[in-house]
Amino acid sequence: MKQRMPKRRSLLGTSPGDLLFSEPGAALIVFAVLALLPVFFSGYIIYILPQYMLFGVLAMSLGLLWGFAGLVSFGQAGFFALGAYTMGLAMKWGGGFDPAYLGLLLSLVVGGILAAMVGYFLFSAGVRGAYFVLVTLALSIMVEQVAVSQSQITGGWNGMFIDRMSLNLGPLGQISLFDDAAIYYVILPVVAAVYIVLYTITVTRFGKILTGIRENEDRLISLGFNASLYKTGIFAISGAVACFAGALYGTHANFVAPSLAGVLFSTEVVVWVAIGGRGSLLGVLLGGIVVASFSNYLSAITPQYWQLVLGLLFVAVILYFRGGVAGAVAQFVNARRAK
Amino acid sequence: MSTALSVVVDVTLITLILALAAFGLAIIYGLVGVINMGHGAMLTLGAYLTWAATTAGFPFVISVFLAAAGVAVIGLLLEHIVIRPFYDRPFDTLLLTWGFFLVSTEVVKIVFGTDLRNVANPVPGAFDLGGVQLPAYRTMIAGTSLLLIAGSALVFFYTALGIKIRALIQNREMASLLGLDVSRMYKMVFVTGSFIAGLAGALISPMLSVDPYIGNIFLVRSFFVVIVGGIGQLLGGTLIGSFLIGGSETLFALFTGQVFAQTVVFAVAIVVLRFRPHGVLRSG
C-alpha cells in the first residue's frame, strides 16, 4: 500500500500545541502580556518598560545580524545613539514637518545608509569575521567621539535634552504622549510591528540565504550568490532598526549622552543577545528586556556583584549554552514533545 | 627648528610606547590566532598589580616584574581553563576573552575600589635634547620597548625557539606534523603575551591615573596596530602599525582636538584595512 503524505492543515503547524510552542505563538503571548501590564500596574514600571522594550529592539537588530547572518557587531550601540541624537536634533529644528515623524524617518534613513555604506565598503573587499567586529567596535567609539567633540550640536559630555514627542494624527489632531501609559501604548505596537517585520525577513528566502552565508559563505558564493550584497543588506536593515529604536528611546527618555554609543553599552547589547539566545528573535527581544531591567534593578542593590555575575553568566553561556536561554527552552520543549 | 624636533620626539615616544602596549596582543593574535579582547584588561591588571606592589613597599622595578608575572599567571589560567578548547573558533575566543574583560574589570572594581589610584613616577623630571624637553620616564619606557623588541628579534632569528615560533606562524599543521608540541607552544605564547601585556600596563601606570578602564584606550588601538601592521609580522609590523596609528594620531592632534584625531585615525585605519586586509607589510 502506498503511503500517503499527511495534508498540511495550516501554515504554522498541525495542532494547537504546535501553534503554541512555535515562536510566533510564544511571541503573541508575550505581547499580550505586555499589552495588559498597564491595566494591573502603574508607576515606575510602566514608565521604564518602553525603554527596555526599545533595548529589546536594539538586541533584535544584533540578533538578526549575529544569529542569522553570523556577523558579530559591537557597534549597534553606535547606531542607537545616532538615532537618539537624530531625534533630538529633529525635535529641535522641526523644519515645517512634524518633528517626531521627521526624526523617526530620518533615523531610519541615516542608520540604513550609514550601515549600507560601511557594509558595502567592507564586505565588498571580503572583510570578514574578526576585522568586521573590530571595525564595528571602532565605529561605536567614533560615534561617541564625534558626539563628544561636536559639542555645539550635541552638547558634548553633558548630553542633549530631547522633547517628548506627541502623536500627530493629521486631521484628527495631536495626542500628547506625556503620560506614561500613553507613550507605552504607542511604543508597544511599534515594537511588535518591528518584531513581525524582522521575523518575516528571517523566514523568507532572504533570511535563508543569510543562514547559508553564516554556515558556509564560500559555498554560497560558489553557488552564485553575491554574499557581500546580502550581508550589506542585512547590515543596513539592522542599522536602520537600531537607529530607529534609538530615536524612540531618545524621545522617551528625553535625554541622550555620548556614553550611549560607548564600548560599555555596546558590550551590554552583545551580552543581552548571548544570554537571550542568538538564534531566536523573540529570545533576543526578551533577553534585552529582561537582562536590562534586571541589571538596572539589581545594580541598585548590589552593583559590583551583579555585573560580575553577568560577566560570568556571559562566559558560561558562550562555553556551554550557545543557544542562550531561548535555545535551552527550545531544546527542553522539543525533548518533551518528542515523548 | 625646535618644534619640528619636538614633534619628531613626540611621535617617536608615542610610537614606541604604543608598540609596547600592542606587542602582547601581536604575539597572541599573530601566533595563535586568538582575538584577545581581554588585552585591555591585562594592561589594567598590570597597572593595578603594580600599584598594589608599590603600595606594599616593593621598589618600582620589582613591582613591575611582580605585576607582569601576576598577569602571566592569570593568562595561564585563562588559557588552560577557558581558551584551550576553542583555538579553531575565533569568534568564540573573541567572546570568551571579552567575557574575561567583563569579569576582570568587575573583580578589579571589587578588590581595589573605583577610586583613581596613582603610581608614583620613579624617574621624574625631564632632560634636554637639542632644546626639546624629553620627559625622563617616557624616554625610559620607550627605551625599554625598543630593548624588548630588539630582544625579541634576537630570540626570533637566532634561537631554536625562534625557529619553532616562525614555523608555527608559517604553517601550523606542518609544524605539528614535524614534531612541534603545538599545545605547549600555544600555552607559552599565551603566557608570554599576557606577561608582556601586564608589563606594558605596569610601565604605563605612572603616566596615567589608574582606574578600572585604563587599558581600554589601548585595546582598539592595539588591534589596529596589529592588523595594520600585519598579523604575524611581530616586529616590523608592530612598529610600523604603532607608527601609523600612534604617530598619525599625534600629528592630527596638532590640528584638531585629541578626541577628533582619534576618530580620524580610526577612519583612516578602516580604509587602509579595506584595501590591505593583510596589513601594510604583507603583500596582498
Side-chain angles (χ1 to χ4, degrees):
Chain A
M1 269 262 277
K2 266 207 193 146
Q3 282 273 334
R4 277 172 161 260
M5 290 284 288
K7 265 194 164 157
R8 298 242 260 134
R9 267 179 268 152
S10 77
L11 267 177
L12 294 171
T14 53
S15 73
D18 270 352
L19 200 66
L20 196 64
F21 284 110
S22 68
E23 181 168 318
L28 204 60
I29 296 179
V30 166
F31 285 117
V33 168
L34 284 174
L36 290 173
L37 270 179
V39 176
F40 298 106
F41 298 97
S42 66
Y44 184 67
I45 186 178
I46 298 301
Y47 165 69
I48 201 76
L49 204 51
Q51 286 183 18
Y52 293 143
M53 287 197 270
L54 291 169
F55 287 161
V57 175
L58 176 60
M60 282 202 291
S61 79
L62 178 61
L64 197 66
L65 264 184
W66 183 7
F68 289 94
L71 299 165
V72 181
S73 160
F74 271 81
Q76 299 307 101
F79 288 107
F80 194 69
L82 198 60
Y85 275 110
T86 307
M87 184 56 125
L89 290 173
M91 293 299 276
K92 265 201 281 190
W93 291 340
F97 305 103
D98 176 69
Y101 290 157
L102 179 68
L104 291 176
L105 191 63
L106 221 53
S107 72
L108 275 173
V109 168
V110 166
I113 290 189
L114 181 66
M117 276 178 8
V118 172
Y120 185 67
F121 186 65
L122 295 175
F123 295 133
S124 61
V127 170
R128 295 189 199 180
Y131 296 173
F132 181 68
V133 175
L134 218 46
V135 170
T136 54
L137 183 61
L139 258 177
S140 226
I141 297 179
M142 281 161 67
V143 170
E144 185 185 23
Q145 288 174 336
V146 169
V148 167
S149 61
Q150 305 301 312
S151 47
Q152 335 75 279
I153 311 178
T154 62
W157 280 120
N158 296 322
M160 179 202 277
F161 286 100
I162 305 177
D163 291 327
R164 175 65 67 89
M165 68 181 269
S166 28
L167 195 59
N168 188 337
L169 294 172
L172 296 174
Q174 281 210 1
I175 305 179
S176 159
L177 293 178
F178 271 133
D179 187 44
D180 290 346
I183 195 166
Y184 184 100
Y185 280 117
V186 168
I187 290 188
L188 177 61
V190 171
V191 170
V194 173
Y195 172 79
I196 292 174
V197 168
L198 292 182
Y199 185 79
T200 314
I201 290 179
T202 62
V203 299
T204 59
R205 189 169 167 268
F206 184 66
K208 301 217 191 305
I209 293 175
L210 283 168
T211 310
I213 292 178
R214 176 190 79 208
E215 293 299 320
N216 194 335
E217 182 167 347
D218 291 320
R219 177 179 255 174
L220 267 136
I221 295 178
S222 71
L223 285 170
F225 289 102
N226 188 343
S228 72
L229 214 56
Y230 281 95
K231 290 200 283 191
T232 304
I234 197 71
F235 191 49
I237 293 176
S238 92
V241 167
C243 219
F244 182 72
L248 279 173
Y249 174 84
T251 187
H252 185 280
N254 303 117
F255 182 71
V256 58
S259 57
L260 202 63
V263 175
L264 290 179
F265 188 56
S266 279
T267 306
E268 276 191 62
V269 183
V270 177
V271 172
W272 298 336
V273 174
I275 294 180
R278 75 189 87 148
S280 152
L281 271 180
L282 185 66
V284 152
L285 176 66
L286 287 175
I289 299 179
V290 171
V291 178
S293 54
F294 257 83
S295 296
N296 200 18
Y297 174 62
L298 287 173
S299 74
I301 303 179
T302 166
Q304 321 141 307
Y305 291 106
W306 169 242
Q307 292 281 62
L308 181 61
V309 166
L310 204 60
L312 289 169
L313 194 61
F314 179 65
V315 175
V317 162
I318 303 295
L319 284 177
Y320 304 116
F321 303 103
R322 299 199 66 219
V325 169
V329 166
Q331 274 185 340
F332 178 70
V333 165
N334 284 334
R336 285 198 63 202
R337 291 184 59 221
K339 286 187 188 159
Chain B
M1 290 181 301
S2 74
T3 20
L5 184 60
S6 79
V7 169
V8 168
V9 163
D10 260 345
V11 169
T12 313
L13 288 181
I14 298 269
T15 302
L16 286 172
I17 295 177
L18 188 55
L20 178 67
F23 198 47
L25 181 67
I27 290 179
I28 292 182
Y29 192 11
L31 291 184
V32 298
V34 169
I35 303 158
N36 184 12
M37 297 293 267
H39 179 68
M42 290 181 179
L43 286 168
T44 307
L45 283 169
Y48 269 98
L49 288 175
T50 311
W51 176 83
T54 49
T55 313
F58 291 101
F60 184 71
V61 180
I62 308 280
S63 302
V64 166
F65 273 106
L66 283 176
V71 178
V73 167
I74 294 175
L76 180 64
L77 287 171
L78 179 67
E79 195 272 346
H80 190 80
I81 300 176
V82 171
I83 308 284
R84 225 171 8 131
F86 294 95
Y87 273 121
D88 53 352
R89 285 154 50 185
F91 266 144
D92 289 346
T93 51
L94 187 154
L95 294 170
L96 286 170
T97 48
W98 187 252
F100 166 70
F101 157 71
L102 292 175
V103 170
S104 150
T105 308
E106 293 311 314
V107 169
V108 160
K109 282 197 225 169
I110 293 175
V111 172
F112 293 102
T114 50
D115 300 330
L116 296 179
R117 307 277 172 202
N118 264 305
V119 176
N121 186 344
V123 191
F127 54 89
D128 217 356
L129 183 73
V132 180
Q133 291 289 334
L134 273 176
Y137 186 68
R138 284 188 194 226
T139 316
M140 200 202 78
I141 307 185
T144 311
S145 165
L146 212 50
L147 274 175
L148 186 67
I149 294 183
S152 305
L154 263 173
V155 168
F156 217 52
F157 292 113
Y158 293 105
T159 66
L161 178 65
I163 293 182
K164 289 183 194 168
I165 296 174
R166 279 186 284 153
L168 197 66
I169 300 177
Q170 272 194 8
N171 194 326
R172 194 163 304 170
E173 242 181 288
M174 205 56 190
S176 85
L177 285 173
L178 288 172
L180 192 64
D181 185 349
V182 174
S183 70
R184 214 165 68 108
M185 287 291 309
Y186 275 33
K187 266 204 174 52
M188 242 192 52
V189 165
F190 209 85
V191 168
T192 310
S194 312
F195 180 83
I196 294 182
L199 183 70
L203 287 175
I204 290 176
S205 60
M207 282 170 35
L208 307 163
S209 34
V210 181
D211 75 67
Y213 300 104
I214 186 177
N216 281 14
I217 324 167
F218 292 100
L219 176 65
V220 177
R221 281 203 198 128
S222 301
F223 267 112
F224 276 125
V225 165
V226 171
I227 295 181
V228 167
I231 302 176
Q233 306 285 341
L234 291 186
L235 303 167
T238 309
L239 279 174
I240 290 189
S242 306
F243 172 67
L244 288 173
I245 302 285
S248 57
E249 193 176 312
T250 314
L251 285 175
F252 281 125
L254 290 176
F255 305 107
T256 72
Q258 171 76 16
V259 171
F260 203 62
Q262 233 177 55
T263 311
V264 173
V265 169
F266 284 166
V268 170
I270 292 174
V271 172
V272 167
L273 248 186
R274 193 259 187 205
F275 291 108
R276 303 274 266 177
H278 295 290
V280 173
L281 279 191
R282 290 239 200 119
S283 45

